[in-house]
Amino acid sequence: MKIRFGICGLGFAGSVLMAPAMRAHPDAQITAACDPNEDVRERFGKEYGIPVFATLAEMMRHVQMDAVYIASPHQFHCEHVVQASERGLHIIVEKPLTLNRDEADRMIEAVERAGVHLVVGTSRSHDPVVRTLRAIVQEGSVGRVSMLNCFNYTDFLYRPRRPEELDTSKGGGIVYNQLPHQIDSIKAITGQRISAVRAMTGRLDPKRPTEGNCAAMLTLEDGACAVMVYSGYDHFDSDEMHFWLAEGGRGKKPNHGGSRKVLRQLEGDEAELRRSRYGFGGPISKSMESGNTDRKQPHFGVMLVTCEHADLRASPDGVLVYGDEGVREVPAITGRGPYSQGDTIDELRDAIAGVAPTLRDARWGKDTLEVCLAVLESSMTGRQIER
């Protein structure tokens, strides 16, 4: 069975990350795409040999498909999920699901009324390492999870941005864009809901007036705790503590402050730099395509899982288990397609085929959104937020 996908949104996620994964996946086929940018969609259509359209509605009217991958800006997720549901199409929607509870409820109602499957992706919780950590915990030999330590230091805030990406009210900053990777991983590994949040966020650069760092203590429903730390200020790089492998699994060289330097030298519009540098056919996409041969598994900073009988952390190709008798390595559980995006496709495919229900469904997405909102509320009020 091949799932016939239409891609809605040809930015970095849609055209650079997901489209090549769909093309390489044995169970996926790209049948159409849409994007309001005429130049991007025409070049993409020529590369993939598919029809392209300006809007999702137009694409759905003219092309037969089974599912839609929604990679439009956050503020359009709700509208596009409802439109696709009304057409009876299955959905992969980029994280975050949306930006407020009312829209999340509307999306849940739409997909459940239509009887379609929705997967929220592709957060790093789809990575093989998270799947492997979840399997080790569920198998039971390492005992109960007591604590998770997740920390990541990146250049996130200094990559070229559109104006709304630096406005928290429009979904900008790390809380909606980066913390879901850690929140989803914590939920997936433990199988537990987050019941309380105590957090601090920071805005350290007035020229980029959105949250760029966060430290949070999360209480899980079974009493375990997770410490979640993220900074996107392009100073320290936590890949130094992960074998100098980049988030996508490719080798990298130290480049502290490199993204800040690019912005300082910028002449012209930052949003245009984002399109040219990170967009379809740009230097970032070309470098990613050329670096596939020696790729290791992806990761999201450093994650340590403390259980009764062992500590667990990612290795380049699996999970290291530090137990009573020393250290052993468990190979990563891999899917049918490329890492992460392929695993997201697997989750939808298995749900459609009746193999397994989706884990990261619309209700999961709403729960993750509510944790993000609790982070913001806790930081603003100085109180722990009970859920």
Side-chain angles (χ1 to χ4, degrees), residues 18 122-124 126-128 295 298 337-345:
M18 181 59 87
T122 54
S123 76
R124 295 256 74 107
H126 293 260
D127 288 345
R295 184 183 180 190
Y339 290 145
S340 302
Q341 282 73 29
D343 295 292
T344 306
I345 296 168

Side-chain angles (χ1 to χ4, degrees), residues 147-153 174-175 179-180 182-183 186 194 196-202 213-220 224-231 370-379 383-385 387:
M147 178 176 68
L148 297 92
N149 188 342
C150 310
F151 65 97
N152 200 6
Y153 286 70
I174 68 163
V175 174
L179 297 191
Q182 294 174 317
I183 295 165
I186 290 164
I194 294 167
V197 177
R198 178 68 173 91
M200 178 282 301
T201 62
N213 66 291
C214 174
M217 171 76 80
L218 310 178
T219 303
L220 305 183
C225 72
V227 177
M228 181 173 69
V229 173
Y230 188 94
S231 175
E370 289 181 333
V371 176
C372 293
L373 295 174
V375 165
L376 291 171
E377 183 180 355
S378 177
S379 180
R383 297 186 292 105
Q384 176 166 292
I385 306 302
R387 301 185 61 241

Side-chain angles (χ1 to χ4, degrees), residues 16-255:
V16 177
L17 294 180
M18 181 59 87
M22 284 183 176
R23 182 154 61 177
H25 198 289
D27 302 325
Q29 176 185 353
I30 304 174
T31 58
C34 64
D35 192 279
N37 186 307
E38 182 178 6
D39 173 63
V40 170
R41 70 174 182 262
E42 292 299 330
R43 287 189 290 111
F44 186 86
K46 183 177 180 181
E47 168 68 21
Y48 282 83
I50 58 171
V52 292
F53 305 90
T55 67
L56 174 61
E58 187 181 6
M59 180 174 72
M60 292 189 299
R61 279 198 305 270
H62 289 90
V63 179
Q64 291 292 316
M65 62 189 74
D66 306 303
V68 175
Y69 167 59
I70 296 172
S72 51
H74 306 331
Q75 61 266 34
F76 300 115
H77 285 185
C78 180
E79 173 189 346
H80 289 156
V81 164
V82 171
Q83 287 182 22
S85 298
E86 290 173 346
R87 287 273 181 169
L89 299 176
H90 305 292
I91 299 160
I92 295 173
V93 57
E94 270 296 322
K95 56 80 189 160
L97 177 69
T98 187
L99 299 177
N100 63 70
R101 292 180 179 88
D102 289 342
E103 287 192 347
D105 288 336
R106 186 180 170 207
M107 296 160 85
I108 291 168
E109 196 274 334
V111 297
E112 292 183 352
R113 181 179 66 248
V116 298
H117 298 289
L118 179 147
V119 176
V120 182
T122 54
S123 76
R124 295 256 74 107
S125 71
H126 293 260
D127 288 345
V129 63
V130 173
R131 183 178 177 184
T132 308
L133 286 164
R134 177 180 173 87
I136 293 170
V137 168
Q138 289 184 335
E139 181 269 332
S141 63
V142 297
R144 182 178 63 86
V145 175
S146 176
M147 178 176 68
L148 297 92
N149 188 342
C150 310
F151 65 97
N152 200 6
Y153 286 70
T154 76
D155 65 347
F156 176 80
L157 211 61
Y158 290 86
R159 300 167 195 166
R161 296 292 171 199
R162 301 186 303 273
E164 67 267 25
E165 293 180 295
L166 299 174
D167 183 340
T168 305
S169 68
K170 297 178 180 177
I174 68 163
V175 174
Y176 293 111
N177 292 285
Q178 296 293 279
L179 297 191
H181 292 300
Q182 294 174 317
I183 295 165
D184 283 359
S185 295
I186 290 164
K187 295 197 303 181
I189 291 166
T190 63
Q192 298 290 323
R193 183 176 178 273
I194 294 167
S195 60
V197 177
R198 178 68 173 91
M200 178 282 301
T201 62
R203 298 185 178 194
L204 305 183
D205 184 348
K207 295 180 180 179
R208 305 184 84 73
T210 185
E211 288 76 18
N213 66 291
C214 174
M217 171 76 80
L218 310 178
T219 303
L220 305 183
E221 60 186 351
D222 68 346
C225 72
V227 177
M228 181 173 69
V229 173
Y230 188 94
S231 175
Y233 281 106
D234 194 29
H235 290 138
F236 180 66
D237 184 344
S238 54
D239 287 338
E240 179 178 334
M241 306 178 74
H242 191 79
F243 318 101
W244 276 119
L245 292 172
E247 180 179 318
R250 298 167 180 85
K252 64 184 291 186
K253 296 180 180 179
N255 188 31

